[in-house]
Amino acid sequence: MATEYGQSYGLGSGSGFPGDTGTRRHRLPAGLRAPFEARSLREFGYVLLGLPIGILLFTFAVTMVSLGAGLLVTFLGVPVLAAALAGCRGFGAMERVRARALLGLRMSDPEPLRMKKQGAMGWMGAVLKSGASWRSLLYAIVQFPWSVFSFAVSVTFWVTGWAMLTYPLWFWVFPMYTGQDGLQLYGDETHGIYLDNPFEITVTALIGLLFTLVTPWLMRALTTVDRVMVHGLLGPSRLATRVVELESDRGVVVDTAAADLRRIERDLHDGAQARLVNLAMDLGLAKEKLKEDPRAAAVMVDEAHGEVKTALQELRDLARGIHPAVLTDRGLDAALSAVASRCTVPVRVEVDLAERPASAIEGIAYFTVSELLQNISKHARATWAAVEVWRVENRLMLQVVDNGVGGAKASAGSGLAGLAERLDAVDGILVVDSPAGGPTRITAELPWRSDPATV
């Protein structure tokens, strides 16, 4: 496994919008700069667009579904209802684009239609059976009242805040309106209250400033509800997401198994098989020379004996790489101790398990630790390492630590990335913490399944 040591490992941070390259330092605190940030303007634009779009979605959904439900007594109700759901799916796609552009929401598209039959009947059946279609319909219905509420609250706070904040300016420009000084707060037939003195103007501006500073955070809370609705109703369902993950994991398992078979075949062909062929030829020559030159034949047999020992050692190494006998007979503690003894640096091994996991999980754990120790031997330039194995509820935890140069990362194409894919195929996790200069701490989690033989 070729792991990249000596390089930095880290994650960048950003807002998710184009042009945002990471965390920026600002002189003003977040509360003061929020009204002028592009994010606040985008969220306000999302709320403004939400009302007309909500009216359109609600009107279309209620009208078409009511029409389709009313026509279900005839055959025409089925295509009308299917058209209503298809339209809601189309509006849902538009809403996902709007949420990605204005809210920075990162989400995948829902599962596509699965048509068992071709033609109009197959399409209608797929639309009516799709859970994404009905979730889109539900979104069209619930989004309308929420868009009315968020529009009313956001526009009221936004307009009121900026109007009161800028009141001193337009009072100065228009000191008298309709024959009266200032803005009228209350009036009846006998008297009226006007904002026309410096104290009242200052208080009005301060209240407007408070409204202006609060409005972006209020809209952020309102659009958080929109994010939840869009992600929950217009995104992929948990079941569909899980199916996609399992399909991807199945592909990884198949590819990994095929790669392992090719590796075993290559090792057998280039190693033990080639030695056995040469051994057979040498023994054949020794047999021919046995009568003519017994001493030369004895030398050739002695060389052949050495080749047999080498071939047997290669076969043992190959079998140990597949599934060592010590792992089957004595478990992880003994097997990992044997692997640690072959590492180029001293390794401390601690295995705290009250029982053995299932053989498949045990084999993956052994392979993971073996690969990580090989990386330490080849790349880390460490003077010591430690392996710890323990169980936390329904998870098997592995941790390998070394004091090497650090910089390991699970980037695409690296050995750690391949190891992470192997673990992900069985719902495992690989976490790499390896700053430049070390130390390196790699933690792996595997699902715990008890060994049936011990249950």
Side-chain angles (χ1 to χ4, degrees):
M1 176 182 291
T3 308
E4 300 176 10
Y5 278 79
Q7 299 178 1
S8 61
Y9 173 80
L11 296 176
S13 60
S15 64
F17 288 101
D20 292 345
T21 57
T23 303
R24 300 176 180 176
R25 293 183 178 179
H26 298 273
R27 295 182 179 179
L28 292 176
L32 295 179
R33 68 174 186 269
F36 310 100
E37 287 184 330
R39 175 178 177 176
S40 300
L41 296 177
R42 286 191 295 262
E43 291 173 342
F44 187 54
Y46 185 90
V47 172
L48 292 180
L49 291 174
L51 181 60
I53 292 177
I55 295 173
L56 176 62
L57 288 178
F58 186 82
T59 303
F60 173 83
V62 172
T63 302
M64 293 294 292
V65 171
S66 301
L67 180 61
L71 293 175
L72 280 178
V73 294
T74 66
F75 178 75
L76 293 177
V78 175
V80 172
L81 189 58
L85 294 178
C88 290
R89 289 178 67 101
F91 284 121
M94 178 188 69
E95 285 292 272
R96 287 193 296 273
V97 172
R98 185 166 72 100
R100 292 187 185 113
L102 297 180
L103 300 183
L105 183 62
R106 297 179 180 180
M107 59 177 298
S108 303
D109 293 334
E111 59 274 15
L113 294 177
R114 298 180 180 272
M115 297 176 55
K116 296 182 178 180
K117 299 180 181 179
Q118 299 297 324
M121 295 299 296
W123 175 81
M124 286 188 292
V127 172
L128 293 173
K129 292 179 181 179
S130 173
S133 301
W134 295 100
R135 292 198 305 273
S136 299
L137 173 62
L138 179 60
Y139 175 85
I141 294 175
V142 300
Q143 192 268 347
F144 170 65
W146 175 251
S147 65
V148 173
F149 173 78
S150 59
F151 181 90
V153 173
S154 299
V155 171
T156 300
F157 271 75
W158 187 281
V159 174
T160 301
W162 282 104
M164 296 179 71
L165 179 61
T166 58
Y167 180 69
L169 176 62
W170 58 267
F171 178 80
W172 174 69
V173 175
F174 302 102
M176 183 174 293
Y177 181 69
T178 65
Q180 297 291 340
D181 293 335
L183 178 68
Q184 184 180 19
L185 292 182
Y186 173 79
D188 54 23
E189 296 179 355
T190 60
H191 66 279
I193 300 176
Y194 294 87
L195 300 176
D196 54 2
N197 62 68
F199 175 75
E200 293 173 345
I201 294 173
T202 303
V203 172
T204 301
L206 291 177
I207 296 176
L209 177 62
L210 178 62
F211 269 69
T212 303
L213 295 178
V214 169
T215 299
W217 303 101
L218 178 62
M219 288 192 305
R220 196 159 298 178
L222 294 174
T223 53
T224 298
V225 178
D226 288 285
R227 289 185 176 93
V228 173
M229 287 196 302
V230 173
H231 190 276
L233 296 177
L234 300 181
S237 65
R238 292 184 177 181
L239 178 60
T241 303
R242 183 58 177 163
V243 169
V244 172
E245 291 177 354
L246 291 176
E247 290 178 349
S248 176
D249 293 344
R250 181 182 62 184
V252 172
V253 170
V254 172
D255 294 341
T256 301
D260 289 340
L261 289 176
R262 289 194 298 269
R263 177 179 60 82
I264 294 171
E265 180 183 7
R266 182 181 64 252
D267 292 343
L268 286 173
H269 182 271
D270 298 339
Q273 181 179 349
R275 291 188 179 278
L276 291 176
V277 171
N278 292 332
L279 175 62
M281 296 176 60
D282 292 342
L283 289 176
L285 294 175
K287 182 179 179 181
E288 294 179 356
K289 288 183 173 291
L290 185 59
K291 295 181 179 180
E292 300 177 359
D293 191 353
R295 184 173 298 179
V299 172
M300 296 178 67
V301 169
D302 186 62
E303 293 176 354
H305 184 258
E307 287 292 323
V308 169
K309 291 183 178 179
T310 304
L312 288 175
Q313 184 61 40
E314 290 181 354
L315 289 174
R316 290 193 192 98
D317 294 339
L318 182 60
R320 187 182 296 114
I322 299 172
H323 195 89
V326 65
L327 178 62
T328 303
D329 298 336
R330 301 172 57 188
L332 274 175
D333 194 355
L336 295 183
S337 298
V339 172
S341 66
R342 297 193 296 270
C343 190
T344 58
V345 300
V347 181
R348 175 175 55 86
V349 178
E350 292 185 7
V351 179
D352 184 13
L353 297 177
E355 58 178 317
R356 293 180 63 173
S359 58
I361 300 299
E362 197 174 52
I364 295 175
Y366 172 84
F367 176 82
T368 301
V369 175
S370 177
E371 291 295 310
L372 293 177
L373 290 180
Q374 287 186 30
N375 288 340
I376 294 174
S377 298
K378 295 178 181 178
H379 309 287
R381 291 183 291 186
T383 58
W384 62 266
V387 177
E388 296 181 3
V389 182
W390 71 99
R391 178 185 176 182
V392 178
E393 296 180 353
N394 62 340
R395 306 291 286 182
L396 177 63
M397 309 295 296
L398 313 172
Q399 190 172 86
V400 179
V401 184
D402 69 78
N403 66 338
V405 296
K409 61 180 182 179
S411 58
S414 69
L416 285 179
L419 192 58
E421 290 179 353
R422 285 175 177 260
L423 295 179
D424 185 64
V426 292
D427 288 338
I429 302 173
L430 185 73
V431 179
V432 180
D433 180 16
S434 181
T440 296
R441 184 183 304 273
I442 300 179
T443 305
E445 293 186 21
L446 288 167
W448 176 274
R449 291 197 295 271
S450 299
D451 188 357
T454 62
V455 176

